Amino acid sequence: MRKLFWALMLALGMGLGLAQQVRIVVVSHGQASDPFWSVVKNGVEAAAKETGARVEYRAPETFDMVRMAQLIDAAVASRPSGLVVSIPDGKALERSIRAAVRAGIPVISMNSGSDVAESLGVLVHVGQTEYEAGLGAGQRMKAAGVKNAICINQEVGNVALDLRCKGFFDGLGIKANVIPVKIGDPTGIRNAVLAALQRDPSIDGVLTLGPTAAEPVLQALEGKRVVFGTFDLSPAVLTALSQKKMAFAIDQQQWLQGYLPIILLNNYVKYGLLPANKVIMTGPGFVTAENAAQVIDLSKKGIR
């Protein structure tokens, strides 16, 4: 009888442990194979390890809002303890996010969506305000003497990227000139920039909105006197900064954008705890030739 009693107690304890495990689904618009999003995923995995939460990371194969909405819907149907989403297009994802909220699933947004998160019922947004980050980039280029610049947009339709370009041109105080390109087509990106420079030789500034565009643009600008800045970091971007081939990179500390939502949701589900601030800022910070070296070591570890 005593053996049976303790066996029942052990089974009950294991059952309670499983019942208490927090399960979180992360749905982002960026693929983990992208150098930026791989760092986000590293942050997610670090938080999952620390908290013991079961975390699933999902993303469409390309920038696809229809597919992303479907992934969110599937996550909601599976009834997770919590949901983390990026919101590159609030209108396209509104129905799916609101469905999660109506189902009683706590939702935290990351990376993009700071302008719409609260209105959709999201508890907290973790990221940077995109317009202000672009504004800072424009002000830096203006201080460097830039008079005529272009903004390279690799995800047309991503509202967050549109806001970056808008802030950039407002910071410069010039008319917007956005060059649309396709993500995953480095040759096309390089050629688009070369064509823009050929059409207008007075262009003296270029801003890219992520490493996937920055790296081919580096090739296009080789040997040219153009002030070049980008959003976000990658090993190639950091090397270019250290060699003074780029003026700056805007660091939004994307590792934290993966890490913090998991920590926050875990504590909210278990204890009902949540920060008072609706937006937790992870950026913008600026990496230049002066501080690139210290960031390179962390980049090798998948943290920056």
Side-chain angles (χ1 to χ4, degrees):
M1 288 294 293
R2 292 180 66 182
K3 287 184 178 179
L4 178 60
F5 172 80
W6 287 114
L8 288 170
M9 290 298 99
L10 178 61
L12 179 61
M14 290 177 65
L16 288 172
L18 288 172
Q20 291 172 352
Q21 185 182 36
V22 175
R23 174 174 166 265
I24 300 169
V25 178
V26 179
V27 182
S28 82
H29 65 276
Q31 299 71 48
S33 58
D34 182 289
F36 175 88
W37 287 99
S38 66
V39 176
V40 175
K41 190 169 186 288
N42 289 342
V44 168
E45 292 173 347
K49 185 176 181 180
E50 287 185 19
T51 60
R54 177 184 165 195
V55 181
E56 302 163 20
Y57 188 101
R58 303 172 184 175
E61 293 182 3
T62 60
F63 183 75
D64 184 342
M65 290 301 96
V66 173
R67 180 58 182 150
M68 188 176 177
Q70 292 171 345
L71 290 173
I72 295 173
D73 292 341
V76 172
S78 72
R79 302 291 300 180
S81 309
L83 177 66
V84 180
V85 295
S86 59
I87 315 176
D89 188 333
K91 290 183 179 179
L93 302 178
E94 177 179 5
R95 183 192 61 80
S96 298
I97 294 171
R98 288 193 186 279
V101 174
R102 284 196 304 270
I105 300 169
V107 182
I108 289 180
S109 59
M110 65 165 179
N111 180 258
S112 52
S114 62
D115 55 325
V116 298
E118 187 174 1
S119 67
L120 296 179
V122 172
L123 296 174
V124 176
H125 178 78
V126 179
Q128 68 181 5
T129 49
E130 305 295 353
Y131 174 84
E132 285 74 13
L135 187 71
Q139 290 169 341
R140 279 190 171 244
M141 284 212 183
K142 185 175 183 178
V146 171
K147 305 292 184 185
N148 183 17
I150 55 177
C151 183
I152 312 302
N153 190 340
Q154 80 274 12
E155 286 180 359
V156 174
N158 184 332
V159 177
L161 300 195
D162 293 339
L163 287 170
R164 291 178 179 182
C165 284
K166 184 179 187 311
F168 174 61
F169 290 114
D170 286 351
L172 273 167
I174 65 173
K175 183 180 178 181
N177 186 2
V178 179
I179 307 296
V181 295
K182 290 184 179 180
I183 194 168
D185 182 11
T187 301
I189 294 171
R190 184 183 69 244
N191 290 342
V193 173
L194 287 171
L197 293 173
Q198 188 172 22
R199 286 194 303 271
D200 185 356
S202 71
I203 291 172
D204 57 355
V206 177
L207 179 74
T208 54
L209 305 181
T212 53
E215 293 175 18
V217 170
L218 274 168
Q219 299 173 16
L221 297 181
E222 190 71 39
K224 296 178 173 58
R225 299 188 65 177
V226 175
V227 179
F228 179 30
T230 189
F231 274 77
D232 306 324
L233 305 177
S234 73
V237 166
L238 287 168
T239 298
L241 286 166
S242 66
Q243 295 173 348
K244 298 186 177 181
K245 293 182 178 180
M246 295 180 66
F248 62 83
I250 297 173
D251 179 18
Q252 57 179 302
Q253 300 184 102
Q254 71 267 33
W255 189 90
L256 287 176
Q257 294 176 9
Y259 176 83
L260 288 176
I262 305 304
I263 298 294
L264 293 172
L265 277 176
N266 187 74
N267 288 333
Y268 182 73
V269 170
K270 286 183 174 179
Y271 314 119
L273 298 174
L274 202 65
N277 293 341
K278 289 294 185 180
V279 178
I280 298 177
M281 301 287 285
T282 63
F286 286 85
V287 180
T288 65
E290 284 67 36
N291 60 349
Q294 58 187 269
V295 180
I296 287 174
D297 288 338
L298 291 173
S299 175
K300 291 176 181 177
K301 298 175 182 177
I303 297 174
R304 297 289 288 275

